[in-house]
Amino acid sequence: MKSKRTNMMFGILIFILGMSIVEASSVVNRNDIAIQNLKFYIEGQEFWIKAVSYEPVPLGRQDMVGEANGTGLCSPLQTPFGNLTHPIPEFKSACYDSDYFDGGSHPERDPPGPTGGWFNKIWQRDLPVIQSLGVNTLRLYNANPTTLQASIEQQNITEGYVYPYGKNHIPFFDYAEAHNLKIIFPLIGDKWLLLNTDETLYKRFLMNQIDEIGNHSALCMYMLGNELGLQLPGDNEGWTDQLQNIVNNYINFARDYQLRRWGRFIPMTSAVVDYPSLYESQAAGMDVDVFTTNAGYRGLGFSGLWEGDNTFPGWLTLSCQYNKPVFIGEWGYESTNNQINYAQPNWFNQKYSALVEKIDMGCIGGSFFEFNDEPMKTAANQRTMGMVNYTQTVCSRTQDCWEPEPLVFKDNIFVSVYSGMWNGRPFNYNTSVFDLISRPQTSLTSSTWPALCPVGPPQTTSSFRPRDSSTSASTSTST
């Protein structure tokens, strides 16, 4: 149950520009995202999310000092910020904000940065492999809202951007789309910023992000915050109730702005810690379209998560009551030095089979944690959770050297994801989930539906999901 929070600290107020707003159409576009009958649809077809958490940290990050220095692809680059009166460029490590999805060329740099975009070679190394594993979605954790587009449009405004050198995420989206990968995108959701940033500024950051990627066809969901500690006693220094209200406020703002700006619905979510006694109040109080819980560390299954126990009624009941499908934001196995991969080589397949069983109980999929190891993590049992690891090279520890570390496919776990079996059946990411559950893939026009809710008719929603701000449950309309 790991919290991945950005290091971004944006203590700067940016003037709000007039925006050209596109009003949403009242007609459902089948090419957009829809949630209906507690299922997720893309282009009108049921979509089971086979995601992987993707945080490709270059090994040069270990040479950072604070937010500066760094080696390899974590070498310094210029930010958009500086002094307007006496322009003094600001330089930080390219990895200071944990945003590894910037494909900008950064022509201002001397010596020049990587040819073809800053982190592009990392994706070119990884995404073909990820696609071959059967993954259909990437879950990202950090994306800097000081985008290239914003730094150009808002340049030289008082206390704003001085240089047009913001982060460019479009090349990453394009490359993901070329490999048939959807993206769960992290809207800015840092707890400190949520509690301490002026609301006008925070909304400007959200607008920056939505302006940049909100109309990209690779986008399938927004994630605002990861393991913020909502409703955990003492976790927010007395801000517990206020933090949830703040998160709801920004979720509603982002949902509304996305619709007005681009005329398309993108589901909103926020990932919570697996704390069963809080699920019922969170289901009622969090104004999300999909409920995301990082409940994927319950051993080799998901015991009691949908059926319930003495602490809560279970997510089948809560999904039906509040019309919110469940996404497992992280699932994997914490172990030191890859122990689980040798002790039980097909643990992935056993656990994935337990997740697939819940497809007709309101589950829309999950994100395996994670693609690559993160050896710089503090907790030893969280350093080797990936399918692959990276081999350090001389370039990794040399400033202004741009070759990414070579990939190493890890024993047992890589093959398990690609083609592994459980109980004689191919519970792996390359097998169609609909073959595994022996039922057809549904569509938005299906006349028959799998039985879901035990009491009453299944709830359905349109792809635009009109909402009543006076209640936590969504207003339902038939499609």
Side-chain angles (χ1 to χ4, degrees):
M1 305 173 190
K2 295 148 295 302
S3 179
K4 298 268 214 141
R5 297 191 180 101
T6 177
N7 297 317
M8 293 180 290
M9 295 294 146
F10 305 104
I12 186 169
L13 182 61
I14 298 174
F15 183 81
I16 302 303
L17 295 178
M19 301 300 298
S20 173
I21 303 299
V22 180
E23 294 298 332
S25 167
S26 61
V27 178
V28 174
N29 183 344
R30 286 172 51 87
N31 293 323
D32 284 332
I33 313 298
I35 297 172
Q36 181 167 286
N37 207 47
L38 300 179
K39 298 193 180 300
F40 199 85
Y41 290 86
I42 297 179
E43 297 182 3
Q45 298 298 310
E46 183 179 357
F47 189 81
W48 172 253
I49 301 176
K50 296 184 292 185
V52 66
S53 297
Y54 186 49
E55 181 100 339
V57 185
L59 297 181
R61 187 179 176 109
Q62 60 195 301
D63 294 315
M64 284 174 53
V65 178
E67 295 182 347
N69 299 322
T71 53
L73 286 164
C74 290
S75 296
L77 55 74
Q78 187 175 341
T79 78
F81 301 104
N83 186 297
L84 276 174
T85 305
H86 304 287
I88 302 173
E90 176 188 70
F91 286 86
K92 291 186 178 182
S93 165
C95 300
Y96 86 95
D97 52 8
S98 300
D99 180 353
Y100 309 110
F101 314 105
D102 174 25
S105 59
H106 295 278
E108 77 286 355
R109 200 179 189 280
D110 184 20
T115 302
W118 196 272
F119 290 111
N120 301 43
K121 287 185 178 180
I122 286 182
W123 324 324
Q124 292 163 7
R125 176 196 64 193
D126 293 348
L127 267 56
V129 174
I130 291 173
Q131 181 186 25
S132 75
L133 288 166
V135 174
N136 62 18
T137 305
L138 301 171
R139 182 190 169 185
L140 314 184
Y141 285 83
N142 298 290
N144 195 322
T146 56
T147 64
L148 175 63
Q149 178 180 338
S151 69
I152 293 172
E153 292 176 349
Q154 301 166 30
Q155 188 179 357
N156 293 327
I157 298 171
T158 302
E159 297 187 273
Y161 303 119
V162 181
Y163 304 99
Y165 302 146
K167 302 297 183 80
N168 183 3
H169 302 109
I170 295 300
F172 177 76
F173 270 73
D174 289 344
Y175 197 70
E177 184 171 53
H179 289 81
N180 296 319
L181 294 166
K182 299 297 183 183
I183 295 172
I184 298 173
F185 186 78
L187 294 177
I188 182 171
D190 177 82
K191 183 192 295 185
W192 189 92
L193 292 172
L194 284 162
L195 293 173
N196 295 281
T197 304
D198 173 82
E199 182 175 348
T200 299
L201 173 60
Y202 205 98
K203 288 180 176 179
R204 177 66 265 177
F205 287 146
L206 293 172
M207 292 164 70
N208 288 351
Q209 293 183 296
I210 293 169
D211 287 345
E212 182 190 35
I213 53 85
N215 202 35
H216 202 290
S217 54
L219 175 67
C220 74
M221 187 152 50
Y222 286 127
M223 183 87 66
L224 197 156
N226 182 66
E227 298 189 353
L228 293 171
L230 302 180
Q231 300 185 1
L232 288 178
D235 189 62
N236 295 306
E237 299 87 33
W239 292 80
T240 299
D241 293 336
Q242 182 173 354
L243 180 58
Q244 180 163 296
N245 292 337
I246 291 170
V247 170
N248 281 341
N249 176 41
Y250 291 134
I251 282 176
N252 281 310
F253 172 81
R255 182 190 292 112
D256 177 68
Y257 184 72
Q258 167 69 34
L259 279 171
R260 289 186 294 114
R261 181 72 173 89
W262 295 115
R264 48 183 313 233
F265 166 76
I266 299 295
M268 297 290 305
T269 192
S270 180
V272 303
V273 178
D274 183 16
Y275 207 102
S277 63
L278 296 179
Y279 279 150
E280 193 162 10
S281 60
Q282 288 173 336
M286 293 180 65
D287 198 5
V288 293
D289 303 295
V290 172
F291 193 93
T292 297
T293 171
N294 291 346
Y297 305 106
R298 297 181 168 213
L300 292 171
F302 299 88
S303 176
L305 191 61
W306 276 272
E307 299 81 4
D309 54 30
N310 60 357
T311 62
F312 86 117
W315 269 106
L316 174 60
T317 296
L318 293 178
S319 287
C320 289
Q321 181 177 355
Y322 294 101
N323 196 24
K324 295 174 182 177
V326 170
F327 175 69
I328 302 300
E330 293 177 5
W331 69 274
Y333 208 102
E334 296 177 330
S335 71
T336 303
N337 293 326
N338 297 295
Q339 291 172 347
I340 186 64
N341 295 334
Y342 295 100
Q344 185 165 340
N346 61 350
W347 71 266
F348 171 95
N349 311 103
Q350 179 178 353
K351 194 158 186 173
Y352 184 53
S353 73
L355 186 67
V356 169
E357 288 175 0
K358 310 305 179 185
I359 189 172
D360 289 330
M361 297 180 70
C363 179
I364 60 172
S367 182
F368 177 75
F369 193 92
E370 55 189 325
F371 176 64
N372 52 276
D373 287 351
E374 295 187 70
M376 286 168 274
K377 280 196 166 184
T378 302
N381 66 345
Q382 296 178 10
R383 295 172 187 162
T384 59
M385 298 179 68
M387 311 172 190
V388 304
N389 59 37
Y390 303 145
T391 299
Q392 182 170 291
T393 65
V394 172
C395 194
S396 303
R397 308 297 297 275
T398 303
Q399 199 165 92
D400 301 334
C401 192
W402 312 124
E403 289 303 314
E405 294 85 8
L407 276 189
V408 178
F409 300 163
K410 290 171 57 175
D411 291 346
N412 300 325
I413 181 63
F414 188 89
V415 173
S416 292
V417 178
Y418 181 80
S419 61
M421 308 282 287
W422 176 248
N423 280 343
R425 303 189 65 203
F427 282 98
N428 56 67
Y429 266 10
N430 266 313
T431 300
S432 166
V433 70
F434 303 105
D435 290 340
L436 291 171
I437 64 175
S438 301
R439 75 156 171 82
Q441 179 183 21
T442 63
S443 70
L444 287 175
T445 58
S446 293
S447 58
T448 59
W449 299 87
L452 285 174
C453 300
V455 179
Q459 298 180 3
T460 60
T461 56
S462 76
S463 63
F464 289 128
R465 296 203 70 173
R467 308 183 69 83
D468 178 356
S469 60
S470 66
T471 178
S472 60
S474 303
T475 304
S476 298
T477 58
S478 298
T479 58

